[in-house]
Amino acid sequence: MGIDSRMSFLIGKHVILKVLEESDINESQWLGWFNDAERCTFNQHHYWPNNYEAQKQILQNAVSATKIQLGILDIQKDDSNICGVISLSNINLIHGSAEIGIMMDSETSKKPELFYESWKLILIHGFQELRLHKIYGGAMREEIYYSIERIFNFEKEGLLKEEVFKNGKYKDVIRFAVFADTVKYPEL
Amino acid sequence: MTSFSEIQELIARALILDREEITRTSKKSEIPNWDSLGQISIVTTIESRFKIEMADTEVFSFSSPEELCAILEKYGIVIENR
């Protein structure tokens, strides 16, 4: 099955960020990612089990005045199964800010061009279409921060002490941000 | 001039692995922890050691220690026993 071009929202060299739809729940592994303890080691999921109804709620909230969540399609793959999702949430058009988040399947996370192009496309959209001033995020792993600092020029804003309870421990979260006038887009 | 064993050591440090897990010809798909974050971790470790800044296209282009060595040679870093 090919890609439905009507649902393609942002198109890069390696990925298409598509509008999420019910077929993405039925045909991709999206629903299962939230039930996979290992995949959720470093994010704030896997507290409650996910099921079809819960996933439909996520889908219903994927696009709103304060959120844009898109599915990631690998252009090289000859199918229409999403291999990740990426979002801008808490969009605040007064302050010009939004929070970035991403989740990918383990096979795709081995391909840096897919991972970083997804970030690149949504950052460009945020800064150049939504006229945002600042895009921020958080990570429990230092490697995530160091990679996006190197690639997109994110800056560390601080450390949220014992912000998240995960795997029996409170974990610190590195809070990072990039600005419209300092962001750097890599050639991919 | 540097040695391949130092490159091996730097990659292993970046990926939090033992040096023996990195061989000259192994592909990233065969090396644990070499994912999107691992790739950049290798790049930043190498850049900091050799005081270089790799081009974006190079950052994403290598998928084995051998390919990384070929890129480093463009920066005048000669690798002994490559």
Side-chain angles (χ1 to χ4, degrees), chain A residues 53-107:
Chain A
E53 288 307 313
Q55 194 65 35
K56 270 172 73 175
Q57 281 292 318
I58 294 172
L59 176 66
Q60 276 168 19
N61 296 324
V63 179
S64 70
T66 58
K67 184 171 182 177
I68 296 172
Q69 186 174 36
L70 298 164
I72 302 168
L73 283 173
D74 180 349
I75 287 178
Q76 283 205 325
K77 278 196 170 173
D78 192 24
D79 63 35
S80 56
N81 289 342
I82 57 168
C83 56
V85 287
I86 190 162
S87 63
L88 288 177
S89 56
N90 299 322
I91 298 171
N92 186 319
L93 295 177
I94 295 173
H95 302 310
S97 61
E99 180 173 4
I100 191 168
I102 189 168
M103 188 177 231
M104 285 184 126
D105 68 26
S106 47
E107 186 196 338

Side-chain angles (χ1 to χ4, degrees), chain A residues 104 106 108-113 115-116 141 143-144 146-148 150-151 184-188, chain B residues 16 28-37 39-40 43-44 47 53-57 59-60:
Chain A
M104 285 184 126
S106 47
T108 311
S109 67
K110 283 251 175 195
K111 299 176 182 171
E113 64 278 16
F115 183 81
Y116 295 106
R141 295 170 69 186
E143 309 93 274
I144 293 179
Y146 289 127
S147 74
I148 56 169
R150 169 65 178 77
I151 302 299
K184 188 176 87 163
Y185 300 116
E187 283 286 327
L188 287 151
Chain B
I16 318 167
K28 69 176 179 186
S29 55
E30 301 157 359
I31 301 176
N33 301 347
W34 193 333
D35 56 10
S36 300
L37 302 177
Q39 181 94 9
I40 307 307
V43 169
T44 52
E47 286 180 334
E53 187 167 344
M54 288 165 63
D56 287 342
T57 46
V59 166
F60 300 105

